[in-house]
Coordinates of all heavy atoms in Angstrom, one line a residue:
L23 N -17.1 -2.4 -8.1 CA -18.6 -2.7 -8.0 C -19.2 -1.7 -7.1 O -18.7 -1.5 -6.0 CB -18.8 -4.1 -7.6 CG -18.3 -5.2 -8.5 CD1 -18.6 -6.5 -7.8 CD2 -19.0 -5.2 -9.8
V24 N -20.3 -1.1 -7.5 CA -21.1 -0.3 -6.6 C -22.5 -0.9 -6.6 O -23.2 -0.9 -7.6 CB -21.2 1.2 -7.2 CG1 -22.1 2.0 -6.3 CG2 -19.8 1.8 -7.3
V25 N -22.8 -1.5 -5.5 CA -24.1 -2.2 -5.3 C -24.9 -1.5 -4.3 O -24.4 -1.3 -3.1 CB -23.8 -3.7 -4.9 CG1 -25.1 -4.4 -4.7 CG2 -22.9 -4.4 -5.9
P26 N -26.1 -1.0 -4.7 CA -26.9 -0.3 -3.7 C -27.2 -1.2 -2.5 O -27.5 -2.4 -2.6 CB -28.2 0.0 -4.4 CG -27.9 -0.2 -5.9 CD -26.7 -1.1 -5.9
G27 N -27.0 -0.6 -1.3 CA -27.3 -1.3 -0.1 C -26.2 -2.2 0.5 O -26.3 -2.8 1.5
L28 N -25.1 -2.3 -0.3 CA -24.0 -3.1 0.2 C -22.8 -2.2 0.4 O -22.3 -1.5 -0.4 CB -23.6 -4.1 -0.9 CG -22.4 -5.0 -0.5 CD1 -22.7 -5.9 0.7 CD2 -22.1 -5.9 -1.7
S29 N -22.3 -2.2 1.7 CA -21.2 -1.4 2.0 C -20.0 -2.3 2.1 O -20.0 -3.3 2.9 CB -21.5 -0.7 3.3 OG -20.5 -0.7 4.2
V30 N -19.0 -2.1 1.3 CA -17.8 -2.9 1.2 C -16.7 -2.2 2.1 O -16.4 -1.0 1.8 CB -17.3 -3.1 -0.2 CG1 -16.0 -3.9 -0.2 CG2 -18.4 -3.8 -1.1
P31 N -16.2 -2.9 3.1 CA -15.3 -2.2 4.0 C -14.0 -1.9 3.2 O -13.6 -2.7 2.3 CB -15.0 -3.3 5.0 CG -15.4 -4.6 4.5 CD -16.4 -4.3 3.4
E32 N -13.4 -0.8 3.5 CA -12.1 -0.4 3.0 C -11.1 -1.3 3.7 O -11.0 -1.3 4.9 CB -11.8 1.1 3.2 CG -12.8 2.0 2.6 CD -12.3 2.4 1.2 OE1 -11.1 2.4 0.9 OE2 -13.2 2.9 0.4
E33 N -10.3 -2.1 2.9 CA -9.3 -2.9 3.5 C -8.0 -2.8 2.8 O -8.0 -2.8 1.6 CB -9.7 -4.4 3.5 CG -11.0 -4.8 4.2 CD -11.3 -6.3 4.1 OE1 -11.4 -6.8 2.9 OE2 -11.4 -7.0 5.1
T34 N -6.9 -2.8 3.5 CA -5.6 -2.9 2.9 C -5.4 -4.4 2.6 O -6.2 -5.3 3.2 CB -4.5 -2.5 3.9 OG1 -4.5 -3.4 5.0 CG2 -4.7 -1.0 4.3
P35 N -4.5 -4.8 1.8 CA -4.2 -6.2 1.5 C -3.9 -7.0 2.8 O -4.4 -8.1 3.0 CB -3.0 -6.2 0.6 CG -3.1 -4.9 -0.1 CD -3.7 -3.9 0.9
K36 N -3.2 -6.3 3.7 CA -2.9 -6.9 5.0 C -4.2 -7.2 5.8 O -4.4 -8.3 6.4 CB -1.9 -6.1 5.8 CG -1.5 -6.7 7.1 CD -0.6 -5.7 7.9 CE -0.1 -6.5 9.1 NZ -0.2 -5.8 10.4
E37 N -5.1 -6.2 5.9 CA -6.3 -6.4 6.6 C -7.2 -7.5 6.0 O -7.9 -8.3 6.7 CB -7.1 -5.1 6.6 CG -6.5 -4.0 7.5 CD -7.1 -2.6 7.3 OE1 -7.6 -2.3 6.2 OE2 -7.0 -1.9 8.3
K38 N -7.2 -7.5 4.6 CA -8.0 -8.6 3.9 C -7.4 -10.0 4.3 O -8.2 -10.9 4.6 CB -7.9 -8.4 2.4 CG -8.7 -9.4 1.6 CD -8.6 -9.2 0.2 CE -9.6 -8.2 -0.3 NZ -9.8 -8.1 -1.7
F39 N -6.1 -10.1 4.3 CA -5.5 -11.4 4.6 C -5.9 -11.8 6.1 O -6.3 -12.9 6.3 CB -3.9 -11.3 4.5 CG -3.2 -12.6 4.7 CD1 -2.9 -13.4 3.6 CD2 -2.9 -13.1 6.0 CE1 -2.3 -14.6 3.7 CE2 -2.3 -14.3 6.1 CZ -2.0 -15.1 5.0
E40 N -5.8 -10.8 7.0 CA -6.1 -11.1 8.4 C -7.6 -11.5 8.5 O -8.0 -12.3 9.3 CB -5.8 -9.9 9.3 CG -4.3 -9.7 9.4 CD -3.9 -8.4 10.1 OE1 -4.8 -7.6 10.4 OE2 -2.7 -8.2 10.3
R41 N -8.5 -10.8 7.8 CA -9.9 -11.1 7.8 C -10.2 -12.6 7.4 O -11.0 -13.3 7.9 CB -10.8 -10.2 7.0 CG -12.2 -10.5 6.9 CD -13.0 -9.5 6.1 NE -12.6 -9.3 4.7 CZ -12.9 -10.1 3.7 NH1 -13.6 -11.2 3.9 NH2 -12.4 -9.8 2.5
V42 N -9.5 -13.0 6.3 CA -9.7 -14.3 5.7 C -9.0 -15.4 6.5 O -9.5 -16.5 6.6 CB -9.2 -14.2 4.2 CG1 -9.2 -15.6 3.6 CG2 -10.1 -13.3 3.4
D43 N -7.9 -15.1 7.1 CA -7.2 -16.1 7.9 C -7.9 -16.3 9.2 O -7.4 -15.9 10.3 CB -5.7 -15.6 8.1 CG -4.9 -16.6 8.8 OD1 -5.2 -17.8 8.9 OD2 -3.8 -16.2 9.4
A44 N -9.0 -17.0 9.2 CA -9.9 -17.2 10.3 C -9.1 -17.9 11.5 O -9.4 -17.5 12.7 CB -11.1 -18.0 10.0
N45 N -8.3 -18.8 11.3 CA -7.6 -19.5 12.4 C -6.3 -18.8 12.8 O -5.6 -19.3 13.6 CB -7.4 -21.0 12.1 CG -6.5 -21.2 10.9 OD1 -5.9 -20.2 10.3 ND2 -6.3 -22.4 10.5
E46 N -6.0 -17.7 12.2 CA -4.8 -16.9 12.5 C -3.5 -17.6 12.5 O -2.7 -17.4 13.4 CB -5.1 -16.2 13.9 CG -6.3 -15.3 13.9 CD -6.6 -14.6 15.2 OE1 -5.9 -14.9 16.2 OE2 -7.6 -13.8 15.3
D47 N -3.3 -18.5 11.5 CA -2.1 -19.2 11.5 C -1.1 -18.7 10.4 O -0.1 -19.3 10.1 CB -2.3 -20.7 11.2 CG -3.0 -21.0 9.8 OD1 -3.3 -20.0 9.1 OD2 -3.2 -22.2 9.5
D48 N -1.4 -17.5 9.9 CA -0.7 -16.8 8.9 C -0.6 -17.6 7.6 O 0.4 -17.4 6.8 CB 0.8 -16.4 9.4 CG 0.7 -15.3 10.4 OD1 -0.2 -14.5 10.4 OD2 1.6 -15.3 11.4
E49 N -1.6 -18.4 7.3 CA -1.7 -19.1 6.1 C -3.2 -19.1 5.7 O -4.0 -19.2 6.6 CB -1.2 -20.6 6.2 CG 0.3 -20.7 6.5 CD 0.7 -22.2 6.7 OE1 -0.2 -23.0 7.0 OE2 1.9 -22.4 6.5
I50 N -3.4 -19.1 4.4 CA -4.8 -19.2 4.0 C -5.0 -20.5 3.3 O -4.4 -20.8 2.2 CB -5.1 -18.0 3.0 CG1 -5.0 -16.7 3.7 CG2 -6.5 -18.2 2.4 CD1 -5.2 -15.5 2.8
N51 N -5.9 -21.3 3.8 CA -6.2 -22.6 3.1 C -7.4 -22.3 2.2 O -7.9 -21.2 2.1 CB -6.6 -23.7 4.1 CG -7.8 -23.3 5.0 OD1 -8.8 -22.7 4.5 ND2 -7.8 -23.8 6.2
F52 N -7.8 -23.3 1.4 CA -8.8 -23.1 0.4 C -10.1 -22.6 0.9 O -10.7 -21.7 0.4 CB -9.0 -24.3 -0.5 CG -10.0 -24.1 -1.6 CD1 -9.6 -23.3 -2.7 CD2 -11.2 -24.7 -1.6 CE1 -10.5 -23.1 -3.7 CE2 -12.1 -24.5 -2.6 CZ -11.8 -23.7 -3.7
D53 N -10.5 -23.2 2.0 CA -11.8 -22.8 2.6 C -11.8 -21.3 3.1 O -12.7 -20.6 2.9 CB -12.2 -23.7 3.9 CG -12.6 -25.1 3.5 OD1 -13.0 -25.2 2.3 OD2 -12.4 -26.0 4.3
E54 N -10.6 -20.9 3.6 CA -10.5 -19.5 3.9 C -10.4 -18.6 2.7 O -11.0 -17.5 2.6 CB -9.2 -19.3 4.8 CG -9.3 -19.9 6.2 CD -8.0 -19.9 6.9 OE1 -6.9 -20.0 6.3 OE2 -8.0 -19.8 8.1

């Protein structure tokens, strides 16, 4: 997707997991 005005950060899968894992428990629950 290329959306004007939206910059999507370049993330590796590991970085994406870490961004989503808000409580940093190395697990992603549904809300995360």
Side-chain angles (χ1 to χ4, degrees):
L23 297 175
V24 177
V25 179
L28 178 64
S29 134
V30 178
E32 297 268 340
E33 295 180 307
T34 65
K36 181 180 186 232
E37 290 169 332
K38 183 182 274 194
F39 188 95
E40 289 171 356
R41 175 178 56 83
V42 172
D43 183 19
N45 62 6
E46 300 177 359
D47 64 355
D48 289 329
E49 295 178 337
I50 296 176
N51 63 34
F52 183 69
D53 289 334
E54 292 169 327

